[in-house]
Amino acid sequence: MEGKRPVCSHCQSRAVYLDRESGAHLCSRHLKESVESRVLSRLMQEEPLPEIIGVAFSGGKDSTALLAVLASLKERIPSRLIALTVDEGISGYREDTIRHAKDVCTRLNVEHRIISFTRLYGRSLDEILKSSNRKACTVCGILRRRALEVLAEEEGVHLIVTGHNQDDHAQTTLMNAFSADIKKVFAGSGSTSRFARRIKPFAAVSEREVTLYAIVSDLFMDLPECPYAGEALRGEVRRLLNRFEQEHPGSMRNLARVEENIRARLHNKVKKTPMETCKVCGWPGSGDVCQVCLLLNENVAITRTDLQT
Ligand SMILES: [Zn+2]
Ligand SMILES: [Zn+2]
């Protein structure tokens, strides 16, 4: 490098990012523009856009960056934004991220709604886990998904955007392949008219770009890791793919597209199992008792009759 700092391939400002695939250097402004245009073009596939877009907002770097991108596109997207946060109730961890989430929403001037496991299920995740022998991430995933659906319904949200990035997609594809979980690849995200649709506008944005976006927007915060984080396989796959991407730039992007391509080709050819209605809580699900009610151990099943039409 001889001490010479790379400059942006577009404007000669100091570069913050190197796209190893194309060899282009980008300054912070052009990096932001590049990320924003990919998110915008993904959203435009949803036209006409709904009145409200709900952003699944944990307060972590991915959803923070996504919220910042959407806020920056305010002039070009007619929808109102609402940040939707689920407070699982994880002591010693969630307090900081919730505080950060509130702060980000204030700074970006975005409406913010929070739903807690305690309000919805009567107990925090910490408490629920004490009487469960399932894996923490499995329990949390099932309950968080429902919490987000309830919050979306309460707020009249029919489209939810999530912060999953290209690296997440690539990892998931490889993990599904390793476990031969073909069903997951084909199933897509289950949806009924009751659930809000979910899309992932960062599907074509790498984790490095997402992180840099949060950093150059001055919204990055080094937050503690979830004490239950333990999807060991994902960590391994992540390291493997990062190493592979170094040697073969573009692999991550191609891998992230595999599922989408398969799904597009199989469109209309794979029958989705129709959703059933849970006889305990009335929500759509698979089986006559939904995963949430099964998990909450039947006796404390939630009965949100007020939400049923
Ligand atoms: Zn530039
Ligand atoms: Zn149920």
Side-chain angles (χ1 to χ4, degrees):
M1 275 275 150
E2 275 102 48
K4 202 169 168 238
R5 286 202 155 160
V7 294
C8 176
S9 312
H10 299 290
C11 73
Q12 303 299 306
S13 303
R14 188 168 77 85
V16 295
Y17 177 71
L18 165 66
D19 181 340
R20 298 186 66 247
E21 216 185 327
S22 66
H25 287 280
L26 296 177
C27 68
S28 53
R29 182 166 71 90
H30 282 109
L31 170 81
K32 283 174 93 171
E33 279 181 17
S34 152
V35 171
E36 286 158 10
S37 79
R38 271 172 281 165
V39 168
L40 185 65
S41 73
R42 176 61 190 91
L43 284 172
M44 285 311 158
Q45 290 171 24
E46 298 297 312
E47 285 221 279
L49 283 167
E51 201 182 309
I52 309 171
I53 295 178
V55 185
F57 182 53
S58 68
K61 71 168 165 47
D62 296 307
S63 59
T64 295
L66 181 59
L67 197 65
V69 171
L70 293 170
S72 80
L73 293 170
K74 210 166 12 184
E75 248 84 277
R76 295 152 84 182
I77 302 174
S79 316
R80 193 175 117 216
L81 288 182
I82 304 184
L84 308 170
T85 300
V86 176
D87 180 0
E88 303 89 354
I90 303 172
S91 92
Y93 157 71
R94 217 50 182 112
E95 298 87 344
D96 281 352
T97 45
I98 296 273
R99 203 175 309 119
H100 174 66
K102 285 183 182 166
D103 177 51
V104 168
C105 288
T106 309
R107 286 171 60 189
L108 295 173
N109 195 22
V110 173
E111 292 174 62
H112 191 201
R113 303 281 183 276
I114 304 176
I115 189 168
S116 70
F117 277 15
T118 313
R119 156 154 94 90
L120 189 56
Y121 306 122
R123 290 174 290 168
S124 66
L125 180 67
D126 288 339
E127 286 163 338
I128 292 166
L129 287 174
K130 275 183 206 148
S131 53
S132 172
N133 42 27
R134 294 212 226 181
K135 274 188 197 156
C137 294
T138 310
V139 173
C140 185
I142 293 169
L143 299 179
R144 205 178 43 223
R145 188 176 182 93
R146 169 69 58 87
L148 197 60
E149 280 160 7
V150 170
L151 189 55
E153 187 160 280
E154 285 179 352
E155 297 298 328
V157 169
H158 298 295
L159 181 70
I160 297 178
V161 294
T162 65
H164 297 92
N165 60 48
Q166 188 170 269
D167 297 36
D168 296 326
H169 275 265
Q171 289 153 17
T172 305
T173 304
L174 203 54
M175 285 163 72
N176 286 344
F178 282 160
S179 63
D181 200 340
I182 300 301
K183 228 169 76 195
K184 268 191 198 158
V185 180
F186 294 156
S189 52
S191 76
T192 69
S193 55
R194 182 158 185 174
F195 294 153
R197 259 178 63 63
R198 285 173 186 241
I199 61 163
K200 299 163 180 170
F202 276 160
V205 183
S206 72
E207 182 166 340
R208 272 178 66 220
E209 291 172 292
V210 169
T211 308
L212 268 172
Y213 192 97
I215 293 172
V216 300
S217 306
D218 198 22
L219 290 167
F220 182 83
M221 201 177 174
D222 208 4
L223 291 161
E225 221 192 294
C226 175
Y228 297 119
E231 217 185 333
L233 179 63
R234 183 172 293 271
E236 257 178 78
V237 168
R238 183 171 189 263
R239 285 189 292 277
L240 183 141
L241 281 178
N242 286 348
R243 210 170 49 230
F244 201 77
E245 174 70 22
Q246 282 288 323
E247 299 292 324
H248 311 279
S251 310
M252 194 89 85
R253 195 196 59 186
N254 293 339
L255 188 54
R257 283 178 181 166
V258 167
E259 279 193 27
E260 201 187 316
N261 291 345
I262 293 177
R263 234 180 266 156
R265 265 173 219 186
L266 287 174
H267 193 58
N268 295 333
K269 288 195 190 118
V270 183
K271 260 206 178 142
K272 282 189 181 172
T273 5
M275 290 270 183
E276 293 178 55
T277 302
C278 172
K279 65 182 181 195
V280 182
C281 71
W283 274 77
S286 49
D288 57 352
V289 176
C290 75
Q291 285 289 319
V292 173
C293 290
L294 283 176
L295 206 154
L296 292 172
N297 223 351
E298 289 92 30
N299 51 357
V300 268
I302 49 160
T303 45
R304 293 189 57 87
T305 42
D306 55 323
L307 286 169
Q308 292 166 36
T309 42

